[in-house]
Amino acid sequence: MRNATIKDTFSIVYKELVKTQKSIEKIEPIQARKLQIKHQQLDIGGSSAKRAIDVYFLRVALLSPHRGELEPGDAVLLSPGNVFGTLLNLDENRNALISIEELSSKLENATHIEVRRADELFLLKNQKFIVDTYLREPPEELQLIINAIFKKVALGNLIISETDYSSSDLNTAQRKAVNAALNLEAGNFLLIHGPPGTGKTRTIAALVSELVKRDQRALITAHTNIAVDNALEKILEKRILPLDEIKRIGSVARVLPTIRQITVHKGAEDYVAEIYSALYESKVLGATLSRLGLFVERMDEVGLPKFDYVIIDEASMASIPLTLMGLIFGKKFVLVGDHKQLGPIITVKGFDEVIYSAFEILIKKYPQRSILLPIQYRSNPQIVKFISKTFYNSKLQAAPSTANKRWEIAAGRHTYSWLQLAFSQKQSLVWLDTEKLGKERWHKSPRRSSAYNYGDAALILRLFTYIFPRTQQNVANNGKKYNIAIITPFKAQSILLENALLAKYRSRFTQFTFMDISDVRTVEASQGREFDLVIYNTVRTYISSQSRDTDETPRALGNPRRLNVALSRAKRKVIVVGSGKIANPDVLQYFTQLYQYARSLNALFRFADNQAVLRQTLTILKPEFEFVRRIWQQYLKSLHQ
């Protein structure tokens, strides 16, 4: 991407995204009857430099229901006039309070208003504003990092002083990262490369604690709510500040219970004033990048609040404009991420130059500005060993404490051999090769470029039939509770499995005090989470070399970052359920390596190796097989109702 075309390229992409998303948002309008518009001036910027902004409050009564229920904190689009606002409060009578920062004459004179949820649309609009405003003539604090992203500039090595931070709470690499951040010069940046489970959150909390001691302000932001909350939770544990100096901006329904005490959520006119107070005056502030976008355009007019440090977690998941939405608030920048996991999702084809995160671009161009966190504290060493060799050039090491992270529920003496292997305490990474199970192959979904597999779903249901009673007994004996996830690259299979599990076990879900059954997740939805047990379903039964460029579904498996994300979610055990035929070295070399690794651990079970076991298993799975087929047919029928 040539520097002269940066702004134009991003503007074209985001203009197209806004246009596409706007058409999607029109699907489910809510008719609202206008009640009242109230104007209020707010003083922002702190007591020493107050500036006034105009805010309007619209009270409306929603007349028709909405399938995706609105919640306080949602961005909404009001028509006529196409005015954006933020839902502040919604009472039991569906009377809504909405703040708007501009007043259209069309809206002011309307008797009825269309209100539609517009979080994505508003986020895209603000990213376009960031591109148009800050890429051509960046402010002084952003010039170095923006030039570094889009051009090759000369940058020196990090300055690291061992005397700045030497707490024994962190390992050597984590202390090095904190020291490097403390020695940053104005406008400069540090990249912390944190693979899964390497203590990114602990490192962020330690850095913020040191900044507070130095009387510096810190903004903690990320792509997701959970990343922001995890960092704030660690900071609260350290008791470094009074609670009124640590603020979280976000919807109460979407933040962790432990964070709600510091969340601005009053749901009335003073909510907006408190938001601005938090932005300009709090010592430590947490907010998602998208939440910051709700205010950035208006604050640009009166002077942005400035934090001494902006710390962006999950920076490798954020697009460049979304990253800039956080950077514009800072003087020094710490980007924390892992470019070996999933990156930004941009849906406009033909503009490959915009799909990379600022983190990935910077770490490849300036490795001397990065610090790797190499000690993995989450997963069993068998899992870490494969991830390290395959994705991190063998630089990742399992902490000694992870040797004790084993699946603790052993198979009974009279259970089947494949179940004994699946839940063995010795093997923490198992592959159940389903190539010969069932006569049906995988199917393409009729509604999307996706796939589903009845046979794999039947086997997974059988695994759960085994898990439930034994896990319950184990918890009764030692009080331990487990959380379990089923992860698949294909949305259609996640829908099939979720519907089948709910239909088969709905009456028992409310009785589970012994285990957390996570929603069945796609790989994208699982990033940033961790589970005791991960069942990873590959779905497809074969991949041919010819299909690589013509078939969409291999791409779901062909991206090595997706496999890394799926495997690295597990603390105690991974069970891969899928056909060994996808281990085609010409197309999916990472699955070939995984298949061979499972074999080296004596953790590969091929049903075809023993015809008696194959026949026995097919007999056992026949009821589940027919059950999931019926569930899928019911789902397809529901789409046409």
Side-chain angles (χ1 to χ4, degrees), residues 264-284:
V264 181
H265 62 272
K266 289 208 168 180
E269 282 91 340
D270 58 348
Y271 169 83
V272 178
E274 289 210 11
I275 289 286
Y276 284 111
S277 175
L279 284 161
Y280 285 88
E281 298 176 0
S282 59
K283 286 284 187 181
V284 176

Side-chain angles (χ1 to χ4, degrees), residues 48 54 67 126 211 222 249 324 327 451 479 483 538 553 572 625:
S48 60
D54 293 322
R67 281 198 322 214
N126 278 292
L211 294 176
I249 299 176
L324 290 175
L327 297 180
N483 64 331
T538 61
T553 53
R572 300 175 184 272
F625 189 93

Side-chain angles (χ1 to χ4, degrees), residues 150-396:
F150 295 114
K151 296 187 293 187
K152 183 67 177 177
V153 297
L155 294 176
N157 293 327
L158 294 168
I159 301 172
I160 301 172
S161 171
E162 291 295 334
T163 60
D164 284 342
Y165 184 77
S166 57
S167 171
S168 59
D169 291 345
L170 304 184
N171 63 38
T172 301
Q174 292 167 341
R175 289 197 300 271
K176 183 178 178 182
V178 173
N179 282 328
L182 294 175
N183 282 283
L184 283 177
E185 298 176 347
N188 222 315
F189 64 90
L190 163 69
L191 308 170
I192 300 179
H193 182 194
T198 53
K200 299 185 294 292
T201 302
R202 180 182 292 272
T203 306
I204 290 170
L207 171 59
V208 172
S209 296
E210 288 302 303
L211 294 176
V212 168
K213 291 177 184 177
R214 290 160 168 76
D215 197 30
Q216 295 185 314
R217 300 181 72 214
L219 170 63
I220 303 168
T221 184
H223 185 64
T224 63
N225 282 293
I226 191 66
V228 176
D229 288 350
N230 285 341
L232 289 174
E233 199 170 46
K234 287 286 185 186
I235 292 166
L236 289 177
E237 289 174 6
K238 291 179 175 291
R239 301 177 184 272
I240 57 175
L241 278 172
L243 290 181
D244 60 354
E245 296 189 34
I246 306 176
K247 293 295 183 183
R248 171 72 159 96
I249 299 176
S251 172
V252 174
R254 298 172 191 170
V255 305
L256 293 178
T258 52
I259 304 301
R260 290 173 186 168
Q261 60 182 327
I262 61 171
T263 303
V264 181
H265 62 272
K266 289 208 168 180
E269 282 91 340
D270 58 348
Y271 169 83
V272 178
E274 289 210 11
I275 289 286
Y276 284 111
S277 175
L279 284 161
Y280 285 88
E281 298 176 0
S282 59
K283 286 284 187 181
V284 176
L285 178 67
T288 61
L289 291 163
S290 59
R291 183 64 58 177
L292 292 172
L294 292 174
F295 311 99
V296 65
E297 188 169 354
R298 174 49 56 98
M299 288 187 298
D300 183 67
E301 298 175 9
V302 296
L304 288 169
K306 284 294 181 180
F307 292 82
D308 297 289
Y309 279 76
V310 170
I311 302 168
I312 303 181
D313 197 3
E314 296 179 337
S316 49
M317 295 177 65
S319 66
I320 291 175
L322 194 58
T323 301
L324 290 175
M325 200 170 286
L327 297 180
I328 61 174
F329 292 97
K331 303 174 184 176
K332 303 176 184 179
F333 315 105
V334 178
L335 277 62
V336 186
D338 180 17
H339 55 298
K340 303 297 184 179
Q341 296 187 71
L342 295 176
I345 298 174
I346 301 292
T347 56
V348 175
K349 295 181 179 180
F351 293 93
D352 291 343
E353 60 266 50
V354 306
I355 67 173
Y356 297 101
S357 66
F359 183 92
E360 181 171 0
I361 292 171
L362 291 171
I363 201 167
K364 288 179 176 179
K365 288 169 68 175
Y366 309 101
Q368 75 275 21
R369 306 295 302 175
S370 70
I371 292 174
L372 172 70
L373 305 183
I375 309 298
Q376 218 266 24
Y377 296 92
R378 173 186 295 165
S379 307
N380 180 281
Q382 287 184 359
I383 301 171
V384 175
K385 183 177 180 180
F386 177 80
I387 292 171
S388 178
K389 181 179 180 181
T390 307
F391 304 111
Y392 298 101
N393 299 317
S394 297
K395 293 181 179 179
L396 202 60

Side-chain angles (χ1 to χ4, degrees), residues 334-524:
V334 178
L335 277 62
V336 186
D338 180 17
H339 55 298
K340 303 297 184 179
Q341 296 187 71
L342 295 176
I345 298 174
I346 301 292
T347 56
V348 175
K349 295 181 179 180
F351 293 93
D352 291 343
E353 60 266 50
V354 306
I355 67 173
Y356 297 101
S357 66
F359 183 92
E360 181 171 0
I361 292 171
L362 291 171
I363 201 167
K364 288 179 176 179
K365 288 169 68 175
Y366 309 101
Q368 75 275 21
R369 306 295 302 175
S370 70
I371 292 174
L372 172 70
L373 305 183
I375 309 298
Q376 218 266 24
Y377 296 92
R378 173 186 295 165
S379 307
N380 180 281
Q382 287 184 359
I383 301 171
V384 175
K385 183 177 180 180
F386 177 80
I387 292 171
S388 178
K389 181 179 180 181
T390 307
F391 304 111
Y392 298 101
N393 299 317
S394 297
K395 293 181 179 179
L396 202 60
Q397 305 169 26
S401 60
T402 61
N404 299 321
K405 292 190 174 184
R406 296 190 181 96
W407 184 253
E408 298 172 333
I409 306 171
R413 287 186 301 167
H414 303 295
T415 53
Y416 307 104
S417 54
W418 55 277
L419 278 172
Q420 290 178 352
L421 177 62
F423 298 107
S424 165
Q425 294 178 325
K426 293 182 180 179
Q427 285 98 348
S428 289
L429 192 153
V430 172
W431 189 316
L432 301 180
D433 185 350
T434 61
E435 177 188 342
K436 298 295 183 181
L437 284 183
K439 297 179 182 179
E440 296 279 348
R441 305 179 77 80
W442 62 275
H443 300 269
K444 286 187 177 182
S445 171
R447 289 288 297 266
R448 60 179 80 238
S449 177
S450 191
Y452 59 96
N453 186 314
Y454 295 136
D456 285 2
L459 183 66
I460 291 170
L461 280 186
R462 189 64 183 176
L463 290 174
F464 269 80
T465 301
Y466 172 85
I467 290 172
F468 288 157
R470 288 161 179 81
T471 311
Q472 189 171 20
Q473 181 180 357
N474 191 71
V475 172
N477 293 337
N478 60 30
K480 288 188 178 178
K481 185 175 181 179
Y482 300 93
N483 64 331
I484 300 170
I486 304 172
I487 300 175
T488 174
F490 298 101
K491 182 66 176 177
Q493 185 75 348
S494 73
I495 292 170
L496 170 61
L497 282 165
E498 187 167 30
N499 287 342
L501 280 167
L502 286 172
K504 192 173 182 68
Y505 298 109
R506 185 186 301 276
S507 62
R508 298 174 61 186
F509 269 159
T510 57
Q511 302 170 23
F512 290 156
T513 57
F514 55 91
M515 169 168 81
D516 239 345
I517 303 298
S518 170
D519 291 339
V520 183
R521 293 172 174 268
T522 58
V523 176
E524 287 81 0

Side-chain angles (χ1 to χ4, degrees), residues 62-81:
L62 303 181
L63 302 181
S64 60
H66 187 263
R67 281 198 322 214
E69 283 299 321
L70 288 166
E71 295 178 351
D74 285 342
V76 293
L77 184 63
L78 310 171
S79 297

